[in-house]
Amino acid sequence: MFDEDKILDRNRQLMEIFEEQVGVFQCLPHVGEVRWLGMVFAVELVIEKRSKSVPIPPNGPGWKIAQALFHKGIWLRPLHNVLYVIPPYSTTSEELRWVMRELLEALKEEKYWE
């Protein structure tokens, strides 16, 4: 299956999308740090960028965002104050771009930080 479907080549394309998105997410006011390694993209959620103060409870905004995106068909992993995007190997580039757009829009919404 890995050879027939060229999974590793597709994953390299997905990793390039993650790499492209780091700077986009890093500019958001409630994002402290963005990192990715292989097929894992992580966004640190903060109340205030300069101090990197953690929300109370730490997983509050992450869980709210994860629930909202779950209703759109996107599964994220909120853990403490970090949201993880871990796409299945069957994900297409178009699907991952959609996930990243939806996550970006959600992170911009102030309702998750109240």
Side-chain angles (χ1 to χ4, degrees):
M1 226 171 105
F2 269 73
D3 291 335
E4 282 179 34
D5 294 338
K6 301 185 191 286
I7 301 251
L8 296 179
D9 290 336
R10 185 175 354 160
N11 285 356
R12 278 189 270 285
Q13 292 173 348
L14 299 179
M15 288 184 274
E16 288 174 11
I17 293 170
F18 281 156
E19 185 176 20
E20 294 167 4
Q21 296 297 310
V22 170
V24 174
F25 281 81
Q26 192 67 54
C27 294
L28 297 174
H30 294 294
V31 172
E33 190 176 316
V34 180
R35 51 197 177 273
W36 67 275
L37 180 62
M39 293 289 290
V40 179
F41 187 85
V43 180
E44 177 191 35
L45 306 179
V46 297
I47 294 297
E48 196 268 319
K49 193 176 208 68
R50 179 175 283 155
S51 69
K52 288 193 172 185
S53 56
V54 175
I56 300 196
N59 64 350
W63 274 106
K64 291 176 190 174
I65 292 168
Q67 286 176 327
L69 294 186
F70 179 79
H71 292 294
K72 293 182 175 192
I74 298 169
W75 188 85
L76 301 174
R77 174 70 192 256
L79 192 58
H80 198 60
N81 70 316
V82 179
L83 265 176
Y84 292 90
V85 178
I86 309 169
Y89 283 2
S90 60
T91 303
T92 65
S93 294
E94 295 79 25
E95 291 168 332
L96 184 58
R97 288 187 190 285
W98 170 69
V99 167
M100 300 307 279
R101 276 192 310 271
E102 292 293 326
L103 177 56
L104 182 66
E105 290 308 310
L107 288 169
K108 291 177 180 178
E109 292 187 41
E110 284 301 316
K111 68 182 178 183
Y112 298 117
W113 307 99
E114 299 170 347

